[in-house]
Amino acid sequence: MGYKLVIAEKPMLARDIARAMCGRPVSESERLPISGNGFTVVACAGHLLELVDPEKVNPAWGKPWSLDVLPIEIDDWPKEPDGDKADLVERIGDLLGDAECVIHAGDPDDEGQLIVDEVLDYLGYEGKVLRVYVNDNIEKNIRRAFEDLRPNEACRGAGRAAYSRQMADMCFGVNETRLATKRLGQLFTVGRVQTPTLGLVVSRDEAIEHHVSRKYFELEAQAMLKGGTAGFLTFKFKPREDLLAGEKHLFERDMLDSLMERLEGTDARFSTKINEKVENPPLPYNLTVLLSDMSRRYGFPAAKTQQITQDLRDKYKAITYNRSDSQYLKEEHFTQAPEVLAQAMRNLGVSWELDYTIHSKVFNEKNVTAHHGIIPQEADAPVDRMTPDEAKVYTAIVERYAMQFLPPAVYDVSTSSFAVDEGSFTATCRRLRDAGFKSTFGHSVEEEKEDDKGGTWVDAGEHVAERLKCRVAEKETAPPKPYTEGTLIADMASIAKYVRDPEVKAILKQKDDGKKGEHGGIGTTATRAAILEKLKERGYLEEVKGKLRSTPKARAFYHLLPPEIAGADVTARWWVIQQDVAEGKADPNDLERSVVEVFRGHQDTAYVGAHIGPARPVVGKCPLCGQDVVKAGNVYTCSSNKNEKQEDGTWEQVAGCGFKLFGFCGKKLTEKQVSALLSGRQVPLKGCKSKAGKTFDCKVHLRKDGSLEPIFESKPRGKRR
């Protein structure tokens, strides 16, 4: 009799499944596979297979790179075990032989689906496969998940879509990177997500640098409330829309001066309404919101926060699935909350008075996708065992969940207004009626804006403001703020707002339909932090005083990119095809074919004649090919020359006529001397050294083959006597 072989995505989850299903204790260090109760549990280690490099399919696609072989396109791009993971693939293959069925326990997303599917396909397994979705690692929840097994074949579409994206990403990166690198003479990487992300930063930096401050004007009127003791009211003027002419501000003050003169010293009748404003607690985190919040509160880089969440999950079992794109929870979490939060409070050493009868809007099955929000698990994970930064992230996650069981903050808002022909004047005041969750967790939510503070309270009704005193304030428009990692990741999740093409914008939003917290984004919650790290490693982004700025190299390159691959349009086009792949309406290779079609459209024109790098002085014309000779460091080289770094670290010339001047017999040449040589003149040199170490003076001139030839003057003979 065989066993049910459970294949988890990672060892930590495999041990948790074994602990729940194998009917015996399992230590944190027990070797896999683990058997018991009719189950054998084993684990992958993330992706065990990777797409092969192009040169393994065709040696002509290897180094040195050539433009002649592009585009590189490989149908059903083959995969092989990733480095030292070949033994693990073989071990899983051995276990498949005696399995009565396989239970696929990859993470509940498209990549998790692919990780196990591709191993089974690689090993040629044709037996029965069932799918289990494990969202958290609590034993009772794992057992509940195993009561809801479903045929894996019905789930494979998500994995096929992930495979199509992998192939397309590889095809896109290989072809676009090689085209840019060969044409520009140095390595420039291009990626579907990294490139539009870079575009966000480039656009923001250039908006800051090119910002021209404009003076604008605002009118406010102050007055005492007649018959009252409320003190001064300050009314702010809002012009009619037609007077703003599509702008946010008024840039001419004549109309305001005229209005001020008319109102100065007069009384104004105004009405006041009182409205209730309810501020609900913020929802639990998904990964994007958590990365942004930890950046805002503590300045943590995104990669650091993401690694901490992985450690909280792996080392302490303190939190649920950490790469979630959802902020919502299931009904079962509502029933489990008292025990979960009681344990979390013990871990933190705190005690909050929570009301577990409050059914927050967070408990909404319809808004839970493959994942749910990041919340604490019912696990003994004392904070004193964590690093200080781990404790900060864990505390924030626990607090966000605990807030759901406290009432909202409630404000009364007094709004006073009166109309004039040119617009209206308004004065507001917000007064806290019930602090709700903020009485406990006000420290952990974003601070109120200045506009929400202050003001003078006025009761509802009709009132008179006596003897208006008016003032026109002169202000200046401010440039946008530089990105932080947190604000950039937030914009990656909502890049659609920067897209002008209405069709692309609509597709991006449709892609994220139902994903609360995602609003037409690029990348995934799991990959965005890594994208930022790659952009920094590759010299495209740099951190300056806690802000992310684009480098000059990055800006120059971004502006050379073909527009069809520079923005979020790529992700939008791909998503439509991926949906067809997931639903079985398209072949996984169709997405790669679309990439190649777009590439062919700019293959012959992109980057032609462009150069990126410091401006290199032109010192003359090349004697071999007639192109410019430029100074590059201490070398004078023809601008036609292109060099490529080899795997051993050396540089090899791959294009150009080869003309270079380094100097002559130990003497460096100045720009003036090289210009003279290139124009056909002789140049005197003093202090040259021969191979034997002797010093000599001479003149040099440039031969037709580009080499330097010395000329020695003969000494004049004396007169005969």
Side-chain angles (χ1 to χ4, degrees):
M1 185 74 178
Y3 45 74
K4 299 179 179 70
L5 179 63
V6 182
I7 305 178
E9 183 168 327
K10 293 175 184 172
M12 186 271 292
L13 176 60
R15 293 188 181 93
D16 288 334
I17 291 174
R19 203 171 286 119
M21 305 303 298
C22 290
R24 65 179 182 82
V26 174
S27 72
E28 294 298 333
S29 58
E30 184 164 345
R31 285 179 59 86
L32 296 169
I34 298 170
S35 298
N37 205 25
F39 292 92
T40 292
V41 186
V42 71
C44 301
H47 279 286
L48 297 184
L49 305 177
E50 61 179 5
L51 297 173
V52 301
D53 291 331
E55 55 266 35
K56 290 190 176 181
V57 177
N58 183 346
W61 293 338
K63 290 188 175 181
W65 292 345
S66 170
L67 292 176
D68 296 336
V69 301
L70 301 183
I72 293 171
E73 181 180 6
I74 305 172
D75 274 359
D76 299 321
W77 202 304
K79 288 191 166 191
E80 63 183 8
D82 180 7
D84 56 0
K85 296 180 180 179
D87 289 344
L88 182 51
V89 174
E90 185 176 343
R91 198 178 314 145
I92 293 173
D94 293 339
L95 292 170
L96 287 172
D98 295 323
E100 65 180 54
C101 73
V102 168
I103 299 178
H104 180 319
D107 282 351
D109 54 23
D110 55 357
E111 289 296 327
Q113 183 69 42
L114 177 61
I115 283 171
V116 178
D117 282 348
E118 65 186 7
V119 171
L120 295 176
D121 292 343
Y122 179 80
L123 294 169
Y125 182 71
E126 297 181 351
K128 182 179 180 181
V129 183
L130 300 171
R131 183 69 162 104
V132 64
Y133 291 113
V134 178
N135 260 310
D136 59 43
N137 299 27
I138 301 302
E139 290 183 33
K140 59 185 177 182
N141 292 343
I142 292 174
R143 285 192 286 270
R144 186 179 293 113
F146 270 75
E147 294 171 1
D148 186 28
L149 299 178
R150 59 200 70 183
N152 186 61
E153 190 58 38
C155 308
R156 286 190 60 121
R160 284 190 288 268
Y163 176 50
S164 72
R165 184 177 60 240
Q166 280 187 354
M167 290 193 293
D169 273 329
M170 176 71 98
C171 178
F172 183 86
V174 163
N175 287 297
E176 298 293 355
T177 294
R178 294 186 184 197
L179 180 65
T181 298
K182 292 295 294 180
R183 291 258 168 86
L184 296 173
Q186 57 179 304
L187 179 63
F188 283 98
T189 59
V190 185
R192 173 180 59 90
V193 177
Q194 77 161 38
T195 299
T197 300
L198 175 62
L200 287 174
V201 185
V202 169
S203 297
R204 176 67 57 87
D205 287 346
E206 291 180 343
I208 293 170
E209 290 179 8
H210 300 155
H211 175 75
V212 178
S213 293
R214 297 177 66 189
K215 289 182 180 180
Y216 67 93
F217 304 93
E218 292 181 345
L219 174 61
E220 64 179 31
Q222 287 189 331
M224 290 290 292
L225 181 64
K226 185 176 182 179
T229 57
F232 273 103
L233 287 174
T234 300
F235 293 89
K236 293 185 177 180
F237 173 63
K238 182 180 180 181
R240 296 194 319 258
E241 290 295 329
D242 60 310
L243 296 176
L244 286 170
E247 299 279 5
K248 291 182 178 180
H249 306 290
L250 285 174
F251 296 99
E252 300 291 338
R253 67 176 291 166
D254 292 349
M255 183 269 287
L256 296 180
D257 286 336
S258 176
L259 179 57
M260 179 175 66
E261 184 177 347
R262 193 171 82 234
L263 295 179
E264 184 70 24
T266 65
D267 294 347
R269 293 186 176 277
F270 66 91
S271 61
T272 301
K273 295 180 180 179
I274 307 297
N275 293 306
E276 179 184 86
K277 180 179 179 181
V278 176
E279 183 180 349
N280 289 306
L283 295 175
Y285 292 113
N286 63 17
L287 184 57
T288 297
V289 177
L290 179 62
L291 297 181
S292 297
D293 203 36
M294 294 301 98
S295 172
R296 176 185 65 84
R297 291 172 63 180
Y298 304 117
F300 288 175
K304 175 179 180 175
T305 299
Q306 185 158 331
Q307 183 57 51
I308 286 175
T309 65
Q310 195 66 48
D311 292 340
L312 289 174
R313 188 168 179 243
D314 292 348
K315 288 165 54 178
Y316 306 105
K317 296 184 175 55
I319 62 172
T320 57
Y321 182 72
N322 59 310
R323 292 178 291 167
S324 174
D325 58 2
S326 173
Q327 290 184 265
Y328 286 81
L329 301 170
K330 297 182 177 181
E331 282 296 325
E332 66 191 54
H333 294 109
F334 177 70
T335 60
Q336 297 166 1
E339 290 77 22
V340 170
L341 281 167
Q343 179 63 62
M345 286 189 281
R346 284 195 294 273
N347 294 342
L348 292 173
V350 299
S351 179
W352 302 312
E353 292 186 10
L354 305 178
D355 182 355
Y356 294 109
T357 66
I358 295 176
H359 194 280
S360 161
K361 66 177 182 179
V362 72
F363 300 105
N364 188 330
E365 301 272 354
K366 295 179 180 178
N367 289 337
V368 176
T369 55
H371 314 297
H372 57 68
I374 304 172
I375 60 173
Q377 294 203 103
E378 189 183 345
D380 181 12
V383 171
D384 58 12
R385 285 165 38 196
M386 301 178 185
T387 67
D389 289 343
E390 288 173 343
K392 288 176 180 176
V393 176
Y394 177 64
T395 300
I397 291 170
V398 174
E399 289 180 343
R400 275 287 187 114
Y401 189 34
M403 289 178 198
Q404 310 311 308
F405 300 97
L406 289 171
V410 181
Y411 297 86
D412 291 320
V413 181
S414 167
T415 304
S416 304
S417 62
F418 65 92
V420 293
D421 292 341
E422 296 85 348
S424 62
F425 284 85
T426 303
T428 61
C429 179
R430 192 168 78 156
R431 189 162 66 182
L432 182 65
R433 187 201 308 168
D434 184 348
F437 73 96
K438 287 192 172 183
S439 63
T440 304
F441 297 115
H443 65 282
S444 62
V445 294
E446 196 162 358
E447 293 183 2
E448 296 176 2
K449 298 177 182 178
E450 285 299 319
D451 291 347
D452 294 332
K453 300 177 181 178
T456 300
W457 183 264
V458 180
D459 292 328
E462 299 296 320
H463 305 280
V464 175
E466 293 186 305
R467 295 184 295 278
L468 293 174
K469 292 184 178 180
C470 301
R471 182 177 73 93
V472 174
E474 182 179 297
K475 299 183 178 181
E476 287 190 348
T477 57
K481 294 180 179 179
Y483 276 116
T484 64
E485 288 203 14
T487 56
L488 180 55
I489 281 182
D491 267 4
M492 290 173 73
S494 57
I495 198 171
K497 65 187 178 185
Y498 298 108
V499 174
R500 294 181 180 178
D501 186 316
E503 182 181 0
V504 173
K505 183 190 289 281
I507 292 172
L508 287 169
K509 288 186 174 181
Q510 182 186 358
K511 173 181 69 71
D512 289 340
D513 185 36
K515 294 182 182 178
K516 303 295 183 178
E518 298 284 319
H519 308 284
I522 52 172
T524 66
T525 53
T527 61
R528 288 172 185 144
I531 291 292
L532 300 194
E533 289 303 305
K534 286 181 181 177
L535 287 169
K536 288 189 283 186
E537 290 169 5
R538 292 167 179 171
Y540 291 150
L541 297 183
E542 57 186 354
E543 195 165 341
V544 181
K545 296 181 180 179
K547 310 296 183 183
L548 283 181
R549 309 306 293 259
S550 55
T551 62
K553 164 188 171 180
R555 296 186 206 184
F557 177 53
Y558 186 77
H559 289 303
L560 289 175
L561 285 162
E564 60 268 26
I565 66 167
D569 309 39
V570 179
T571 292
R573 292 195 306 268
W574 288 19
W575 180 78
V576 174
I577 300 172
Q578 280 177 248
Q579 287 301 103
D580 288 342
V581 172
E583 295 169 10
K585 300 175 182 176
D587 184 272
N589 293 301
D590 288 347
L591 184 53
E592 187 181 359
R593 292 176 188 132
S594 171
V595 171
V596 170
E597 182 181 353
V598 172
F599 176 81
R600 291 186 190 278
H602 55 253
Q603 180 177 4
D604 295 333
T605 57
Y607 319 109
V608 172
H611 169 74
I612 292 179
R616 297 186 294 181
V618 176
V619 293
K621 295 295 183 182
C622 176
L624 303 184
C625 70
Q627 294 197 41
D628 289 339
V629 174
V630 296
K631 183 180 181 183
N634 293 321
V635 178
Y636 299 88
T637 179
C638 179
S639 56
S640 69
N641 295 333
K642 304 292 182 186
N643 299 293
E644 194 171 274
K645 195 172 185 178
Q646 305 301 299
E647 291 183 359
D648 61 2
T650 60
W651 289 83
E652 181 179 313
Q653 183 177 316
V654 295
C657 69
F659 173 75
K660 292 178 184 177
L661 285 179
F662 296 93
F664 182 79
C665 291
K667 291 291 291 183
K668 293 180 180 178
L669 299 173
T670 66
E671 290 182 36
K672 188 175 181 180
Q673 289 172 327
V674 174
S675 293
L677 289 167
L678 292 171
S679 65
R681 300 198 299 271
Q682 296 179 0
V683 173
L685 296 177
K686 293 184 177 181
C688 302
K689 284 192 175 182
S690 68
K691 291 182 179 179
K694 293 183 178 180
T695 301
F696 64 93
D697 300 337
C698 69
K699 290 183 179 180
V700 293
H701 79 100
L702 199 61
R703 295 190 181 106
K704 290 183 179 180
D705 63 2
S707 63
L708 291 175
E709 179 182 29
I711 300 171
F712 296 96
E713 292 184 352
S714 57
K715 293 182 180 180
R717 295 181 180 180
K719 294 181 180 179
R720 290 184 179 179
R721 295 181 182 265

